[in-house]
Amino acid sequence: MLVKICGLKTPATVEAAAAAGATHIGFNFFAPSPRSVTPEQAKELARHLPEGVKTVALVVDADDALLDAIWENLHPDIFQLHGKETPDRVREIKARYGVAVMKAVRVAEPEDARAAEAYDGAADMILFDAKPPKELDKLPGGNGLLFDWKALRAYRGDTPWMLAGGLDAENVAEAIRVTGTDAVDTASGAEDAPGVKNPEKIAKFVAAALRAE
């Protein structure tokens, strides 16, 4: 089971996620987000990670200048593209840095899940997240919203995928049971407030996901 904790901002929460058994740590580089960090901050935070935990850089329609700054400071294992990046842009980023690329796809209906199939052969992984209603569509993710997991049954792509969208310690086991996923991600589900991670909630989420494996 792959377990990703996204939007970490402090050494204590980075260490808590690693100690709990998270396999992936996400750093958010989307400035409007309450979870955002700079490339320089991410470099320092990553020093608190043990070997083997993968770093994920979340960006939203980032230009090459931002990607270069992230690369120079963090050398992430994965770039997570959470904007409107096309398959061609995914391929371009993958070729430029020589690392894996995860493409986020926001889902409300089965046809949204099918749209992810366009990234076959481009992305290394799909992140299925909740599509927020327009009145809440301020951030690309981390909104704490669930979607109907059964919509993912429409997906017929070849690209592996990770499940996000309102997951927390209370519902992650059911999400795994319904979808059959072997990779889960949370941001708001391990927080006391937007951008404020709780080490205890991190540990409970990771434990619940691993127990459901």
Side-chain angles (χ1 to χ4, degrees):
M1 180 65 63
L2 304 181
V3 183
K4 176 169 166 279
I5 308 295
C6 197
L8 295 171
K9 297 177 63 175
T10 68
T13 54
V14 168
E15 291 171 358
T23 57
H24 293 67
I25 300 297
F27 296 117
N28 186 321
F29 297 97
F30 183 57
S33 171
R35 304 175 184 93
S36 68
V37 293
T38 65
E40 294 77 16
Q41 289 171 329
K43 178 180 180 179
E44 293 306 311
L45 289 170
R47 296 186 192 277
H48 297 266
L49 285 174
E51 189 174 350
V53 179
K54 293 187 180 296
T55 55
V56 182
L58 186 160
V59 296
V60 180
D61 297 314
D63 60 19
D64 289 346
L66 175 57
L67 295 175
D68 284 347
I70 294 168
W71 181 253
E72 289 165 8
N73 283 276
L74 181 63
H75 274 73
D77 296 292
I78 301 170
F79 275 108
Q80 177 180 325
L81 311 184
H82 228 293
K84 297 179 180 178
E85 299 90 355
T86 64
D88 283 345
R89 180 58 172 159
V90 172
R91 292 186 185 93
E92 182 182 335
I93 292 171
K94 183 174 179 177
R96 184 180 180 93
Y97 303 101
V99 296
V101 176
M102 180 189 302
K103 179 66 184 83
V105 174
R106 300 193 288 179
V107 178
E109 304 291 341
E111 55 264 31
D112 298 323
R114 286 194 293 269
E117 295 166 19
Y119 293 91
D120 276 357
D124 296 278
M125 180 170 276
I126 298 294
L127 179 76
F128 285 119
D129 201 353
K131 177 186 286 187
K134 288 185 178 180
E135 63 269 20
L136 294 177
D137 194 9
K138 297 178 181 179
L139 295 174
N143 294 297
L145 301 175
L146 292 167
F147 66 95
D148 184 357
W149 300 318
K150 294 185 177 69
L152 298 184
R153 294 174 182 171
Y155 177 64
R156 295 291 183 269
D158 296 323
T159 308
W161 54 274
M162 178 177 281
L163 179 65
L167 298 182
D168 58 28
E170 303 302 318
N171 63 25
V172 66
E174 178 69 3
I176 292 168
R177 185 190 68 79
V178 171
T179 65
T181 188
D182 57 6
V184 292
D185 175 29
T186 193
S188 61
E191 292 179 340
D192 290 330
V196 183
K197 290 291 188 295
N198 180 318
E200 184 177 351
K201 290 182 178 179
I202 290 172
K204 287 182 176 179
F205 178 82
V206 176
L210 294 179
R211 280 198 305 270
E213 190 172 2

